[in-house]
Amino acid sequence: MRHSSPPPSLLFLYPLFIISISLSSFPTASPSSTHSKTSLNRGSSLSVEDEDNFLTSLDGSFSCGFYQVGSNAFSFSIWFNNSADKTVAWTANRDHPVNGLGSKITFRGDGSMVLTDVDGTVVWATNTSSTDASKAQLLNNGNLIITNSSGSVLWQSFDSPTDTILPSQPITKQSKLVSSIANGALSSGYYNLYFDSDNVLKLLYDGPEISSLYWPDPNSQVFQNGRTDYNSSRHAVLDNTGRFLSSDRLQFNASDTGPVIKRRLTVDYDGNLRLYSLNESDGSWNITWEALAQLCNVHGACGRNGVCVYDPVPRCSCPPHYGMSDEGNWNRGCKPLFNLSSYSPTKDRFIELPHTDFYGFDDGYTKNVSFESCKKICLNDSSCQGFGYRLLGAGQCYPKGAFFNGYSSPNFPGSLYLRIPRSVEASKFSSFEVSKLTCNAFEADNSTAGSSGMYVINRRKAIWVYFYGFISAFGVIEFLFIASGKRVLDWEMDMRMLVRLVKDKIGNEDESWVEDLVDMRLKGDLNMKQQRPWQ
């Protein structure tokens, strides 16, 4: 059946229909596109809105491009294609995600690769400007490289790891791994793996209030931990068979040692260092080695005054007469339910917490001392909140000025004595009350960087870009009105109304202005909801 031509007045609806489609769709990218590139040449770019928005290694194991971390937030990342959750191995802008509209990664003419947000702000860039860089390519080992025409590597992602290293990627004195803040998030957390100034590879909790080393065992000497501090090369690497070698003599092997298997070594959000192997059949990850068998040995997990206990899995708890500082966040720890300034050297008492300790922050250390003498040391110090006491042949006294890194374990050979003002009614301690609240450091947290409102200002900027483009289309319509004999004065009045209406609607994030616009122009005779195909 042939369709007759639409009435001339309906020509006006064509640009408006385009407007409504453009504003309602706002395409976003995802790492599951079926199209990809193997390299990026100088002068080209990848767009967050483009389906062909990523590079893929020649063997298909890895992809690199825009990775969604929030409803309108994206990172420029490298991920495993064959893992079920597209596990990220590296991120350029982990703490500064970009908008899901208008953001680009551009290989500029000056040789630098630059990530820009929707408003043109440079979020991240390589150090290859003013070079002869000619191509960016993702290798089969997951390394993103920039090379010149002769093939020399000018920049590589392996030199700036995030929370993960891949086989053949070294850890050096210039690099460190930083955990993510929570399970499922990419933004930076509090746990670091790095070579310390004594040439030993260590795990460090670097939190808002304190920094504390917890691996290798801080209670043991370097040689007791099987390390050496005499090799200053500070170099460690995981090979393709799952064997890890470090210049400080740290060595370990994956439980499934052998070639072919895809692996990653990651500082997880809970502070543990783990080696993973990819199960290609279902895309899952198997733990094939981990640094700490007991997670309560990780520092900082339960915050100030908090205690890590096994229930049987690690959970956080507060000591007697202490309560959570923030009911929704264990990282903030616990707070005393009494006034610390009410301590009295003659009236205070102590509650024993068996097999419990708060590592570090000792105001002193005295050995060969009785329990009563240790108690007096604490009572006579107004800043002492309690003391640790161990009877290992001879009494060892550890007055505490603050409580961090608390843990309780049946294997710990000592007790913590908590100082309580006499005015507080206290009974003998029996056991910790374990919180059923999800503990940030130990359990899954689906929080992600970015939210629907995170980039609302940038989204409005992008809408205005569309708007100004659409306004130019009305120049054509103006010609039609003049040709049809409509007075220019009427046209100008209508245009003023148009601009005011669209400005108000966009300012309120109201996309229904297209329908109102059509009603205004056609005196209410027709609107978008009333349109029907012409027969």
Side-chain angles (χ1 to χ4, degrees):
M1 177 185 297
R2 292 186 61 185
H3 298 285
S4 60
S5 299
S9 61
L10 293 182
L11 290 172
F12 183 80
L13 294 176
Y14 289 157
L16 297 176
F17 179 72
I18 294 172
I19 295 173
S20 64
I21 293 298
S22 300
L23 285 175
S24 62
S25 58
F26 288 110
T28 57
S30 70
S32 59
S33 173
T34 57
H35 304 287
S36 62
K37 302 176 182 179
T38 57
S39 64
L40 192 65
N41 296 321
R42 193 164 177 158
S44 56
S45 63
L46 302 175
S47 171
V48 70
E49 301 149 299
D50 189 355
E51 288 187 355
D52 301 327
N53 71 323
F54 55 85
L55 304 177
T56 298
S57 60
L58 289 176
D59 68 355
S61 297
F62 294 93
S63 284
C64 174
F66 287 97
Y67 188 95
Q68 190 162 6
V69 295
S71 58
N72 190 39
F74 288 77
S75 66
F76 182 63
S77 300
I78 298 171
W79 60 87
F80 287 85
N81 278 331
N82 296 327
S83 64
D85 58 355
K86 298 295 184 287
T87 304
V88 171
W90 175 84
T91 298
N93 58 316
R94 65 186 308 190
D95 296 316
H96 302 282
V98 295
N99 199 289
L101 184 70
S103 300
K104 287 185 177 182
I105 186 80
T106 305
F107 197 171
R108 289 182 172 175
D110 65 358
S112 62
M113 182 177 285
V114 176
L115 175 64
T116 53
D117 212 333
V118 62
D119 59 358
T121 301
V122 175
V123 175
W124 171 86
T126 62
N127 59 354
T128 52
S129 60
S130 302
T131 67
D132 58 346
S134 61
K135 183 172 69 173
Q137 183 179 5
L138 184 60
L139 302 182
N140 291 340
N141 62 359
N143 189 15
L144 177 65
I145 62 172
I146 295 178
T147 59
N148 58 18
S149 56
S150 63
S152 299
V153 176
L154 305 179
W155 176 91
Q156 58 181 343
S157 60
F158 269 16
D159 288 339
S160 55
T162 47
D163 63 351
T164 295
I165 63 164
L166 302 173
S168 75
Q169 180 178 4
I171 302 174
T172 68
K173 59 183 177 182
Q174 286 88 19
S175 62
K176 68 177 178 179
L177 305 187
V178 180
S179 70
S180 62
I181 191 64
N183 189 26
L186 297 186
S187 52
S188 299
Y190 299 131
Y191 297 102
N192 300 343
L193 176 71
Y194 73 110
F195 275 105
D196 205 349
S197 57
D198 63 355
N199 305 318
V200 176
L201 192 62
K202 297 178 180 179
L203 283 170
L204 168 76
Y205 170 74
D206 188 15
E209 294 186 272
I210 64 164
S211 294
S212 183
L213 293 164
Y214 60 93
W215 182 83
D217 183 2
N219 291 313
S220 301
Q221 298 296 320
V222 60
F223 294 109
Q224 292 175 314
N225 286 321
R227 310 287 190 91
T228 180
D229 53 5
Y230 289 127
N231 190 333
S232 61
S233 60
R234 301 188 206 174
H235 186 276
V237 68
L238 174 69
D239 69 18
N240 289 319
T241 68
R243 186 185 184 193
F244 183 87
L245 294 174
S246 174
S247 57
D248 67 351
R249 292 185 183 172
L250 172 65
Q251 298 184 30
F252 59 82
N253 296 311
S255 59
D256 59 353
T257 302
V260 181
I261 300 172
K262 293 295 180 184
R263 307 180 191 276
R264 62 182 173 94
L265 182 66
T266 300
V267 179
D268 281 327
Y269 68 96
D270 61 5
N272 208 351
L273 177 67
R274 296 184 178 93
L275 179 60
Y276 292 90
S277 296
L278 181 62
N279 185 338
E280 297 276 359
S281 63
D282 61 6
S284 64
W285 291 99
N286 299 321
I287 299 173
T288 55
W289 177 87
E290 59 184 350
L292 296 159
Q294 302 293 325
L295 271 181
C296 281
N297 290 330
V298 174
H299 287 181
C302 298
R304 178 188 283 265
N305 301 317
V307 180
C308 178
V309 298
Y310 294 100
D311 186 43
V313 298
R315 297 270 190 178
C316 291
S317 181
C318 291
H321 307 289
Y322 282 70
M324 285 189 68
S325 297
D326 182 343
E327 290 294 334
N329 186 359
W330 266 112
N331 287 332
R332 297 184 181 274
C334 308
K335 60 183 178 182
L337 302 179
F338 55 87
N339 191 344
L340 291 176
S341 63
S342 62
Y343 282 150
S344 169
T346 59
K347 298 181 180 180
D348 292 344
R349 9 177 216 179
F350 293 88
I351 298 177
E352 180 184 5
L353 309 181
H355 308 293
T356 301
D357 188 31
F358 289 91
Y359 179 83
F361 297 90
D362 303 328
D363 280 347
Y365 166 65
T366 306
K367 60 181 179 179
N368 298 322
V369 64
S370 68
F371 174 79
E372 289 299 323
S373 296
C374 186
K375 183 167 68 172
K376 288 180 180 179
I377 292 174
C378 184
L379 286 172
N380 291 327
D381 183 352
S382 61
S383 66
C384 180
Q385 298 183 35
F387 65 92
Y389 189 77
R390 307 177 197 178
L391 192 58
L392 300 174
Q396 300 177 2
C397 180
Y398 302 85
K400 301 285 183 178
F403 293 147
F404 286 100
N405 310 318
Y407 70 98
S408 183
S409 170
N411 297 323
F412 181 73
S415 295
L416 190 285
Y417 293 85
L418 191 68
R419 187 175 184 176
I420 300 294
R422 178 68 65 177
S423 58
V424 175
E425 184 176 345
S427 58
K428 185 178 180 180
F429 173 77
S430 58
S431 63
F432 286 100
E433 294 183 6
V434 178
S435 170
K436 298 305 179 184
L437 176 71
T438 296
C439 181
N440 303 54
F442 301 129
E443 298 188 15
D445 187 333
N446 294 323
S447 62
T448 57
S451 64
S452 58
M454 188 171 181
Y455 295 102
V456 64
I457 295 177
N458 288 340
R459 176 178 167 85
R460 289 174 181 170
K461 289 180 181 178
I463 291 176
W464 276 107
V465 171
Y466 279 93
F467 167 65
Y468 288 124
F470 296 142
I471 284 297
S472 63
F474 284 97
V476 177
I477 301 171
E478 179 179 8
F479 170 78
L480 295 176
F481 270 77
I482 294 175
S484 64
K486 186 173 178 68
R487 291 189 306 164
V488 175
L489 180 59
D490 291 343
W491 166 252
E492 291 177 348
M493 292 177 63
D494 288 341
M495 283 302 296
R496 291 192 191 99
M497 294 174 64
L498 163 67
V499 172
R500 285 197 300 269
L501 173 63
V502 175
K503 182 178 179 180
D504 291 341
K505 292 291 186 178
I506 291 180
N508 294 323
E509 297 186 296
D510 184 350
E511 295 176 6
S512 66
W513 59 272
V514 177
E515 295 176 16
D516 294 341
L517 179 65
V518 175
D519 281 339
M520 179 188 71
R521 296 294 304 175
L522 299 182
K523 311 299 182 186
D525 292 337
L526 182 68
N527 64 28
M528 297 286 283
K529 296 178 182 177
Q530 296 166 336
Q531 288 188 77
R532 294 291 184 272
W534 300 292
Q535 303 298 323

